[in-house]
Structures are given as structure tokens and as C-alpha cells.
Amino acid sequence: MASPDGQPHTAEAVGAPPSVEAVKQAATEQVIDPWNVSGGKDENGNIKAIDYEALRLKFNTPPLTDEHLKRFEAVTGKKPHRLMRRRLFFSHRDFDKILDHYEKYGFFLLYTGRGPSSDSMHLGHAVPFLFTKELQDLFDVPLVIMLTDDEKFLYTRNKNHGEAKPGQDVEDFENFAFENAKDIIALGFDMKKTFLYTDYGYMGGHFYKNICEFEALITNNQVRGAMGFDGSTNVGLNSYPAKQCVAAFATSYPEIFGRPNSDSSRGMFGQRTKDIAAIPTLIPCAIDQEPYFRLVRDNCGRMRFPSPKPALILSKFLTALQGPGGKMSASDKTSAIFMKDTPNEIKKKINSYAFSGGGATREDHEKYGGNPDVDVAYAYLSYFLESDEELSEIEANYRKGTLSTGELKKKCIAELQKFVAEFQERRSKVTDEVLCAFFARRKLEFNGNPNVEVSIPAEAPVEQTGKKSGKKDKKDKKKADKAEKVEKELPVREKNEEPSS
Ligand code: TRP
């Protein structure tokens, strides 16, 4: 139908309601990258729950299947962690390969990290670490934890267009890193097999050689494509991804394997070596970190000493109190439960903010039941309640309407109060001495797979690295052999040698 002036109606016509098409265009897609996590908006502007299946398909990462869980149980002899059973860790890359490697060579390197954006961690930050601790215990392998004080400084400055605001200096982020490190330690990591470091404190020697080499391999365009940077992004943030990437190479930490690091005092003794490069890495992390590790997987085979592609096990985000369209955020105090919160604060936050999937009235709830799929108290229970039976009972009763929102919240509050109180008790014992022990550069002590002799492959598997072979390699090998003056502490197994036992 045309208007009196003969023109078709448009949304711009004065006084006219916006056309359906115009409103529809207001619907937005979800945004998930290392710095932003939010569900899309529907046509009416309501925030939608994060669609993890769409995300997985976009990133093209395979699902974690029942087969993986069975294999995990067969290899470790233990039931998989509840976060894995409930598919809160839901996707992976090469998880099978890392298990193969563990069966043959007895160990791998675990690597995870944390961007210290404030002095207190919240429950969402704790989740990947809880899972990592479990993996470390079950596999009995070395673990490195990177605290990216540099990343958070650069990111914050970038956000402020270079302006230095109070409380956002380099030293502030370094201090956040130390505070966060104490929180991480209080989650129960075993000091003997865990090395924690801040980027400001540790990067040098082998690590810095890896950084420079990796920086030389990737272009601005590749980093922009993976991270969403543009020409106005500060140069520090542009080059930061190389750091998080090479942190996945075992050669960045020769001392944890008993080899010298070519840092300033010992540079003349240590060279990077092909065998340490061949130790594969498993990275537990939330799926927003995947873009980094895609970069490293695409380029690790091009390093002078190629490393295998790191394996990943990827989690969902712990839902914000406001609902499944966002994640807990340290900068939005009402979105998160902090590890510092008192029992009363936890209770108040759950009661006043936690989005409920319950019926609008008591009668409605009893008649139609509640929806645990969007209920935040239920979501938190799925992360923290250990018993599968109890959880499925809660779910069934909530759906039926026989369990009220009030009762569900009460259970959630009790479970979170218990977790946080136990954490705070351990946290009070993490002194500066304990912190220093975790930060000390040293050889880590681990036993790995009890069924095989723990050893290092002579070099990374060829098919994974796409490396070129030839004269240069032979020359490299000779050079590396010559440079390596220390006694090898772990046996190095040549290519076709079978593991003993
Ligand atoms: N970029 C991460 C963050 O902002 C920190 C990090 C560094 C990380 N290396 C990692 C996280 C490895 C997971 C795995 O929190």
C-alpha cells in the first residue's frame, strides 16, 4: 500500500511505526572473542542465551563425546570430573592425540593461564582451574600457569585510547597477578609439579627466543583476523598473541624439565632443543581463548624446532547472575560471586539477582513447572554439586514444579557458601613464601603414567608439523646436540623405538 504522496511507507516516515524488517535488523548475533562474551539479541531486543553449538560450529572444534569420556576413564582409571561429565567442558582439539601420547610416552605438559584484570577472582575464573587441578592430579604431569599482567595492561590502555587512568599502571596489573596467583594456589595445586609465572617476571631467555621467532612467522593481518584488531590497536596488543601462543611450547620452560634456560645469567649454556620442543601440550581453557590457539596450531610446525599442535579442552562460561546471555564479569559487581564474598553476600546475590526459570507465581510454578535450562541457581549447581543423582533429582523436580525457586536457590546458596568458605580457609594459608615457592624456577617433579616409562620423543611427529626435512635439519640437529651440555634427565626416545613395558 502506498501513502498519499504515492511513496511506499518506510520506517523513516515521520510518525510511522518502524517496519517489521527494521525491527528485525535490530536482532544481533552473539559476540565471543578473547575480550567480549555476550549472547545475541532477539528481534525484540531481549538478550539470548549463548548458543554454544553455533559457536562450536563457527570455531569448527569437535564436540567432546561419550567415547572421549570412556577413553579418559580407561587411561586414567578415574571417573571424569563433573565438569566433563556434564559437558561444561564440551569441545576439544586433539584430545585423543594427547591421550595416545600419554599412553606411549607417559606425560605431556599442561598449560593454562589467567588475565589478572582485578585483585579478586570470581567463581567463573575458578572453574577452568578446578578442572586443570583435576587433570594434573589424574595424569600426574607438569603444569605451567601464565599470569598475563602485560595483556591486561595493554588491553586496558587500548580501551582507554592510550590514556593512563589511576590504578591502571603496569605495577597495578602485576599486583593483581600476584593476588590472583594466591587465589589460584588456594584452589589446591601441587607445588612440586606446578610452575606459576607473571609475564613481566619470567619472559626472557628461551621464552623470548620463541616469542621473536613466532612474531616473525605471523603477520599483522593474521593477528587482526584472529583477534579482531585493526590499525588503531596499540602495537603492544598486536604483538601480545605471540606471547600467549609460544607459552604453549615446552621449549619456553626448559628448567621445568631440568635443562638450563638461556636467561641473562646462563644464556651461554642453554639452547632450545628439538626434543623438548616435541613434548606436546594440553590446554584447558574457556572457548573464548580458542583464537589464540588456532594461531599456534597453524604455525607451530614452522618453528625452527617444531612442536606438535597443542591439544585443547574447551569450556563454556559460568553464567552471569543475570542469566545465560552473558558471563560473570569482574567489572560488573552484580554479575558475579567473588571468591572474597562473605556467606551473607553470596546469599543476598543469589536471592536478589540470580535469574530464575521458575513460574511467575507459585500457582503457575506448581501447575506448569520451572525451566532449569535458563535458571541461574540450577546452572551454578551443575558446576559445583558433585552428585549426579542429586542434580538430576533437582532438575526433574524443578521441571515438575514440586521444587520451588526458593528451595532451589537455598540449595545453590548452601553449595556455593561451602565451596567459597573452604577456598577462603586455604587462601588464608597462602603466604608470600608459598607464593615464591610456586614462582621459583626449578625442575618439576612428576611421575606421569604409572604404566609406561616416562620419556620424551626425539622430535615432534612429522605429519603434525608439516616441517621441511633435509640438509638444514641435519645441521640443526648437530648444532643442538653439541649445544646441549647438560645430562638429560628424562630418557629421549628415538623415532621408531617402542616404549619399554
Ligand atoms: N588471555 C587469558 C585471559 O585473559 C589468559 C591466558 C594466558 C590463558 N594463557 C592462557 C587462558 C592459556 C587459558 C589458557 O584470561
Side-chain angles (χ1 to χ4, degrees):
M1 195 185 86
S3 58
D5 60 4
Q7 296 299 311
H9 275 299
T10 66
E12 287 76 38
V14 179
S19 67
V20 174
E21 281 66 37
V23 175
K24 273 199 176 144
Q25 278 163 18
T28 53
E29 298 237 332
Q30 57 185 3
V31 178
I32 283 115
D33 64 36
W35 294 284
N36 303 287
V37 173
S38 64
K41 284 194 186 140
D42 69 13
E43 293 158 12
N44 301 317
N46 300 317
I47 301 201
K48 292 194 292 186
I50 294 169
D51 182 344
Y52 286 104
E53 190 54 15
L55 189 58
R56 194 182 65 66
L57 293 171
K58 184 172 163 211
F59 284 173
N60 198 18
T61 57
L64 198 69
T65 62
D66 289 346
E67 291 310 309
H68 289 114
L69 266 66
K70 270 189 215 138
R71 176 98 200 278
F72 178 91
E73 194 162 347
V75 172
T76 63
K78 293 266 166 53
K79 183 164 141 186
H81 191 268
R82 59 176 185 271
L83 294 171
M84 218 165 148
R85 298 201 298 274
R86 298 174 193 160
R87 297 302 193 280
L88 299 165
F89 277 80
F90 73 114
S91 186
H92 76 105
R93 282 195 196 279
D94 286 343
F95 193 59
D96 334 65
K97 280 195 183 147
I98 207 82
L99 295 177
D100 291 344
H101 186 92
Y102 185 73
E103 285 190 315
K104 188 163 173 195
Y105 294 98
F107 84 108
F108 52 81
L109 175 64
L110 265 176
Y111 157 47
T112 192
R114 152 109 192 108
S117 48
S118 76
D119 65 357
S120 179
M121 286 176 46
H122 57 56
L123 284 179
H125 297 139
V127 166
F129 288 104
L130 280 179
F131 184 63
T132 304
K133 176 191 148 38
E134 164 97 357
L135 294 180
Q136 181 188 47
D137 288 348
L138 290 185
F139 289 110
D140 196 348
V141 292
L143 162 68
V144 292
I145 301 178
M146 176 188 212
L147 296 152
T148 59
D149 38 13
D150 55 348
E151 174 194 16
K152 289 298 158 178
F153 166 76
L154 290 165
Y155 172 72
T156 308
R157 272 297 169 90
N158 195 62
K159 210 167 62 178
N160 302 342
H161 309 286
E163 194 194 329
K165 295 200 174 157
Q168 296 180 347
D169 286 314
V170 162
E171 285 75 9
D172 294 310
F173 289 92
E174 191 178 36
N175 285 332
F176 293 162
F178 293 134
E179 288 306 310
N180 287 188
K182 288 186 174 176
D183 287 351
I184 292 167
I185 291 168
L187 291 168
F189 290 98
D190 180 346
M191 196 265 283
K192 290 206 186 76
K193 42 191 172 202
T194 308
F195 174 52
L196 252 84
Y197 63 93
T198 63
D199 288 356
Y200 289 132
Y202 182 65
M203 276 175 186
H206 279 48
F207 207 131
Y208 191 57
K209 289 177 182 171
N210 280 337
I211 290 170
C212 277
E213 192 184 338
F214 202 78
E215 283 173 341
L217 289 175
I218 53 175
T219 64
N220 272 319
N221 287 339
Q222 282 170 306
V223 170
R224 286 176 186 189
M227 302 290 149
F229 298 156
D230 60 31
S232 68
T233 305
N234 72 44
V235 285
L237 201 56
N238 257 291
S239 65
Y240 168 75
K243 302 180 173 97
Q244 182 159 330
C245 286
V246 304
F249 297 151
T251 47
S252 294
Y253 322 93
E255 62 269 47
I256 68 175
F257 305 105
R259 305 283 180 84
N261 191 334
S262 59
D263 55 25
S264 52
S265 59
R266 294 178 297 176
M268 58 198 292
F269 299 117
Q271 295 284 320
R272 291 177 299 165
T273 56
K274 196 175 258 182
D275 62 337
I276 296 290
I279 299 171
T281 302
L282 171 64
I283 312 173
C285 60
I287 195 161
D288 62 336
Q289 300 297 306
E290 199 273 343
Y292 286 108
F293 302 122
R294 199 178 322 152
L295 269 182
V296 71
R297 284 173 55 89
D298 286 349
N299 293 288
C300 55
R302 299 166 68 209
M303 293 291 284
R304 176 186 176 207
F305 298 120
S307 284
K309 293 181 179 184
L312 310 177
I313 180 153
L314 302 163
S315 77
K316 300 179 181 173
F317 310 106
L318 189 62
T319 305
L321 280 159
Q322 286 71 18
K327 67 166 182 173
M328 281 194 181
S329 155
S331 53
D332 177 358
K333 303 285 177 225
T334 65
S335 76
I337 289 171
F338 290 88
M339 306 299 280
K340 274 184 180 167
D341 285 350
T342 61
N344 212 19
E345 281 168 330
I346 295 176
K347 186 172 161 193
K348 267 203 195 137
K349 283 186 182 175
I350 296 288
N351 281 334
S352 19
Y353 305 122
F355 182 82
S356 165
T361 61
R362 196 188 183 96
E363 292 71 46
D364 269 10
H365 188 77
E366 282 167 6
K367 197 163 159 197
Y368 305 112
N371 180 4
D373 303 334
V374 296
D375 193 288
V376 168
Y378 178 79
Y380 293 172
L381 280 172
S382 71
Y383 277 83
F384 291 97
L385 185 70
E386 177 56 32
S387 161
D388 291 343
E389 292 73 37
E390 204 180 333
L391 188 70
S392 54
E393 207 174 292
I394 289 172
E395 184 190 350
N397 291 340
Y398 199 57
R399 271 193 214 286
K400 268 190 277 173
T402 51
L403 182 75
S404 73
T405 295
E407 287 160 338
L408 177 68
K409 285 195 168 181
K410 207 167 149 197
K411 273 192 201 297
C412 171
I413 290 164
E415 209 55 43
L416 296 187
Q417 283 175 333
K418 186 169 126 234
F419 176 77
V420 172
E422 284 168 9
F423 165 83
Q424 289 175 354
E425 165 69 22
R426 288 190 305 266
R427 176 65 161 83
S428 69
K429 300 200 180 97
V430 184
T431 58
D432 288 347
E433 286 74 50
V434 173
L435 185 70
C436 289
F438 275 89
F439 275 71
R441 301 169 184 210
R442 73 215 119 98
K443 182 171 184 286
L444 297 181
E445 294 165 42
F446 54 92
N447 298 310
N449 187 340
N451 304 318
V452 292
E453 189 197 339
V454 165
S455 65
I456 304 176
E459 60 184 305
V462 177
E463 73 281 1
Q464 285 196 337
T465 63
K467 76 177 173 66
K468 2 133 203 76
S469 58
K471 262 191 195 159
K472 188 174 168 295
D473 273 76
K474 285 202 188 112
K475 233 170 84 191
D476 280 349
K477 185 174 186 320
K478 259 196 190 158
K479 251 202 249 166
D481 291 346
K482 214 164 121 192
E484 203 183 305
K485 296 210 176 83
V486 269
E487 186 113 350
K488 293 189 180 97
E489 306 259 352
L490 291 167
V492 175
R493 202 179 289 154
E494 284 303 332
K495 248 195 238 153
N496 299 320
E497 226 178 295
E498 277 307 304
S500 44
S501 92

